[in-house]
Amino acid sequence: MSLSARMIIVLTFVGLLSGSFLATVDLLTKERIELNRQREIEEAILQVVPGTHSSQKLYEEKDLTVYGGKDKKGILVGFAIQASGIGFQGKITLMLGTNPSIKKINSLKVIDQKETPGLGAKINDRESFLKFWDNKDCSNLLTLHKPAVKTQEELSHSEINTITGATISSEAVLNLVNSSLNRLRQLEKEGSLSSEEQDVN
Amino acid sequence: MSTRSIGQEFVKGLWDENPVFRQLLGLCPTLAVTGWVINGLAMGLATSFVLIFSSLVVSSIKKFIPSQVRIASYIVIIATFVTIADRCMAAFFPLISKNLGPYIPLIVVNCIILGRQEAFSSRNSVGRSFIDALGMSSGFVLALLILSSIREVLGVGTFLGLQVMGTWFKPWIIMILPPGAFLTLGILLGIALHIERKTKARK
């Protein structure tokens, strides 16, 4: 057999074998990977919209997805917004829960972030940052309180705590929250938040 | 052909030819993911899986591969195992897979793996290649463990997420940042060279 024929046969064979192996692995893992992704979103929704029994995707655009959380009777208990924006070092993805009238933030959860460990990464830390978002009145635009404080009482009702040494990361989260809340209100006014779309569950 | 005993074939990967400390191979993952012990360990095990299985396959089919297309064939074989590792981690350990991000698919270009196929598995028996891959993997895991332990303990005061340093300890945050990786690796390489020189002088 000529050399080029052997080369072609060997490479084809290696490629075919590897392809079929990978197809099998994909078949075996695809469902689980998709399930993991869904479970992550569902858990996040449940955390930011307490009392959720089932959730539905209501609206989706680039960097913004709105889910509606409903209780057992099918009454809307709140919105969960998954939003992404630019942080200090990379993309920040948040899950933000509001009440049905979009007047109050239930809580905030960081899904993904690439901020500086020990500084900006504290946006994912309850004690220094996340707890200040719990039950926050959001009828007015939220602002940052500088310098950083320790307790909720030291903040006015529309203020959010800064992380010491990570103003840019704190601001990035704040701007992302403010802009997604505005977008959510706008969407609600337009009536774009129909619940016709597919169930997440 | 190798003249070493099976035992020596294994042990050489741990020290004499340790991929990280002696051959300076695979430094990209070594520097990038060793901020936390769990990430270092997961990276080491994923790389070991790819190295061991690629060595087994390459050494068993080496006779059929014309030397002109050997690199292409090795890369396809390696990429197959990397993708398997990547998919399985995403399915069964989603959290670790998220932490390691692009570094799992990047095992494809880890020089340790292609290097061992070219330098060893393509010239030795299946058994010897297996032992060689096992030794090299252990050496790599060991190096990542040492590096990540130092960085996590000094950087945040924990080991595998468990608090090991007392409250008096102020974490050196720089250790879990990229500069900490270079500092730790540099110092460890210095120590390794020093030990090597000492043992040579004694002989």
Side-chain angles (χ1 to χ4, degrees), chain A residues 67-137:
Chain A
Y67 300 92
K70 288 180 173 170
D71 66 6
K72 275 185 185 153
K73 290 178 201 140
I75 300 165
L76 191 72
V77 287
F79 293 111
I81 319 165
Q82 188 183 334
S84 308
I86 301 299
F88 182 56
Q89 288 185 325
K91 212 169 172 182
I92 298 176
T93 304
L94 304 170
M95 184 71 92
L96 178 74
T98 72
N99 68 349
S101 57
I102 326 180
K103 290 252 159 55
K104 196 190 83 180
I105 293 173
N106 295 327
S107 61
L108 179 71
K109 188 179 153 65
V110 176
I111 308 254
D112 202 13
Q113 54 90 11
K114 294 179 180 61
E115 303 304 285
T116 322
L119 293 170
K122 280 196 183 151
I123 57 169
N124 204 5
D125 181 47
R126 266 209 78 70
E127 263 319 291
S128 51
F129 193 66
L130 288 179
K131 73 169 183 194
F132 294 96
W133 292 88
D134 292 352
N135 300 318
K136 201 79 199 170
D137 178 4

Side-chain angles (χ1 to χ4, degrees), chain A residues 37 41-42 45 49 55-60 65-69 76 78-82 95-96 184 193 200:
Chain A
R37 206 184 58 82
I41 294 174
E42 271 168 40
I45 295 174
V49 185
S55 49
Q56 280 177 312
K57 191 187 281 180
L58 301 178
Y59 181 81
E60 192 173 11
T65 313
V66 180
Y67 300 92
L76 191 72
F79 293 111
I81 319 165
Q82 188 183 334
M95 184 71 92
L96 178 74
L184 181 66
L193 300 179
V200 179

Side-chain angles (χ1 to χ4, degrees), chain A residues 3 6-8 10-11 14-15 17-19 21-22 25-33 36 40 111-112 116-119 122, chain B residues 36 61 63-66 68-69 72-73 76-77 79-81 83-84 86-95 98 173 176-177:
Chain A
L3 182 66
R6 238 185 93 196
M7 279 166 25
I8 292 168
V10 166
L11 273 185
V14 169
L17 215 65
S18 128
F21 248 115
L22 288 182
V25 172
D26 184 59
L27 221 62
L28 293 174
T29 54
K30 198 162 60 184
E31 229 166 280
R32 257 195 105 101
I33 293 174
N36 285 338
E40 196 183 24
I111 308 254
D112 202 13
T116 322
L119 293 170
K122 280 196 183 151
Chain B
W36 304 87
I61 62 168
K63 275 187 215 133
F64 306 105
I65 300 178
Q68 289 86 344
V69 293
S73 317
V76 172
I77 293 165
T80 308
F81 286 111
T83 312
I84 293 176
D86 184 38
R87 298 291 299 202
C88 290
M89 279 178 86
F92 299 104
F93 308 100
L95 219 72
K98 216 173 137 183
I173 286 160
I176 55 168
L177 299 178

Side-chain angles (χ1 to χ4, degrees), chain B:
Chain B
M1 276 293 158
S2 183
T3 50
R4 291 190 181 87
S5 76
I6 292 293
Q8 283 168 327
E9 209 71 89
F10 176 77
V11 174
K12 71 168 197 276
L14 295 181
W15 180 254
D16 283 345
E17 291 180 25
N18 184 296
V20 174
F21 295 137
R22 308 294 307 151
Q23 301 188 62
L24 302 192
L25 289 179
L27 291 187
C28 175
T30 304
L31 292 166
V33 304
T34 51
W36 304 87
V37 177
I38 184 77
N39 291 354
L41 190 64
M43 186 54 170
L45 292 179
T47 310
S48 304
F49 165 81
V50 176
L51 177 53
I52 291 169
F53 279 93
S54 306
S55 288
L56 281 176
V57 172
V58 167
S59 58
S60 35
I61 62 168
K62 59 180 181 285
K63 275 187 215 133
F64 306 105
I65 300 178
S67 68
Q68 289 86 344
V69 293
R70 70 183 191 286
I71 301 283
S73 317
Y74 298 166
I75 281 293
V76 172
I77 293 165
I78 293 167
T80 308
F81 286 111
V82 171
T83 312
I84 293 176
D86 184 38
R87 298 291 299 202
C88 290
M89 279 178 86
F92 299 104
F93 308 100
L95 219 72
I96 298 178
S97 157
K98 216 173 137 183
N99 283 343
L100 292 176
Y103 291 102
I104 293 291
L106 279 177
I107 296 176
V108 175
V109 292
N110 189 323
C111 307
I112 299 171
I113 298 171
L114 188 60
R116 284 338 278 172
Q117 311 317 323
E118 181 71 358
F120 203 93
S121 303
S122 55
R123 298 164 197 189
N124 288 283
S125 67
V126 178
R128 263 184 192 280
S129 301
F130 176 67
I131 299 294
D132 173 75
L134 212 60
M136 285 294 156
S137 307
S138 314
F140 188 60
V141 172
L142 193 75
L144 291 194
L145 266 184
I146 294 175
L147 227 79
S148 55
S149 306
I150 295 174
R151 290 181 65 196
E152 191 181 329
V153 168
L154 293 180
V156 283
T158 60
F159 181 83
L160 273 173
L162 301 166
Q163 195 73 37
V164 287
M165 298 298 245
T167 42
W168 51 268
F169 179 73
K170 186 104 179 89
W172 310 357
I173 286 160
I174 194 167
M175 292 305 278
I176 55 168
L177 299 178
F182 286 99
L183 284 174
T184 317
L185 184 66
I187 292 169
L188 286 176
L189 284 180
I191 296 173
L193 273 178
H194 181 71
I195 296 174
E196 177 73 6
R197 207 168 289 162
K198 275 273 163 74
T199 43
K200 254 194 197 146
R202 215 174 293 150
K203 278 174 196 162

